[in-house]
Amino acid sequence: MSVVPYKDKLDPKKEQVAEMFNNISPKYDLLNHVLSLGIDIVWRKKAIKKLKKDAPKLILDIATGTGDFALEALALNPDKIIGVDISEGMLQEGRKKMKKRGLEEKIEMLLGDSEGLQFEDNKFDAVIVSFGVRNFENLEKGLADMYRVLKPGGKTVILEFSKPSSFPMKQAYGFYSKAILPQVGKIVSKDNSAYTYLPESVQAFPDGEDFLAVLKKVGFHSSTCTPLTFGISSIYVGLK
């Protein structure tokens, strides 16, 4: 049974996730930084550094949202970054951000589905995702399509929440995600379901070794997992 944002609706997970992000898009950036105490910015920088020596020229940012990870990837000096997302609301916020910074040519933001990417095989030097893979309706299908559009020798870098396993972080994180996060999210975003869904989706996600096994299954090799901040999130790297 897959975890969905709106339990009273029968729509598939993909449609519910798009609706949820459309609902919270105006407040998404603020919420992200508040709820992670700003650590998400540091996590993104660390993840992008995993691509530094590869110097990718064409980058695909999956589940780009409002484009924060794409903006971070500019540090790699690529020729172009294409961001795709299933939420038009999030993309609109992202496009405003890019326009303000004069980056519309450098970072293109397109409506698209990670499980059916509209790109030819072997196109991108790197495929990146931050906090998006646990929202895939079909995890294997989404990762397999990322593998397909990556050039041979290319690299994927995935930043995703994970579950801290050691005392006292496990207990503290459990309390924060169940008691505090949904309340703050509800007040700021006005969407009751969005931040109840977040901890539930993290719990259901196969993190650590389990996720590395899925990466291997769809074809990635030499995959690694780097836990961050006591295991609250992790950076996964895989090669094609």
Side-chain angles (χ1 to χ4, degrees), residues 60-210:
L60 176 63
D61 181 26
I62 302 263
T64 190
T66 63
D68 274 358
F69 208 32
L71 285 167
E72 204 54 65
L74 289 174
L76 302 166
N77 198 28
D79 294 335
K80 189 167 181 84
I81 301 168
I82 297 176
V84 297
D85 203 281
I86 57 170
S87 164
E88 187 55 51
M90 295 286 272
L91 289 166
Q92 281 171 12
E93 295 298 320
R95 287 184 196 118
K96 280 186 228 165
K97 207 188 276 188
M98 301 314 158
K99 194 172 182 185
K100 209 170 167 182
R101 299 172 192 207
L103 291 168
E104 302 111 305
E105 297 298 310
K106 194 90 167 173
I107 300 175
E108 189 181 355
M109 306 192 79
L110 305 171
L111 192 65
D113 180 1
S114 56
E115 293 161 42
L117 295 165
Q118 302 298 301
F119 303 108
E120 65 267 27
D121 298 0
N122 311 316
K123 181 178 174 73
F124 295 93
D125 300 304
V127 179
I128 60 175
V129 196
S130 70
F131 309 115
V133 289
R134 73 175 193 289
N135 297 323
F136 288 3
E137 189 163 51
N138 183 323
L139 182 61
E140 275 184 34
K141 197 176 172 190
L143 293 172
D145 220 36
M146 285 164 53
Y147 182 86
R148 178 184 68 78
V149 301
L150 194 59
K151 284 180 185 171
K155 186 183 275 186
T156 188
V157 174
I158 298 165
L159 176 61
E160 190 50 90
F161 287 115
S162 42
K163 302 178 278 286
S165 55
S166 53
F167 178 86
M169 202 60 195
K170 182 181 177 179
Q171 288 72 13
Y173 180 74
F175 173 74
Y176 176 72
S177 63
K178 287 188 182 74
I180 297 170
L181 194 147
Q183 293 307 316
V184 178
K186 191 163 131 182
I187 293 161
V188 181
S189 74
K190 307 286 189 285
D191 187 312
N192 296 3
S193 305
Y195 289 86
T196 311
Y197 165 74
L198 192 137
E200 286 174 357
S201 65
V202 172
Q203 276 305 118
F205 183 70
D207 60 349
E209 291 297 324
D210 292 337

Side-chain angles (χ1 to χ4, degrees), residues 39-54:
I39 306 169
D40 63 308
I41 298 164
V42 178
W43 290 340
R44 283 191 186 88
K45 285 187 192 301
K46 285 192 172 175
I48 289 302
K49 277 185 182 151
K50 299 274 185 190
L51 283 165
K52 199 168 181 190
K53 69 175 189 305
D54 304 273

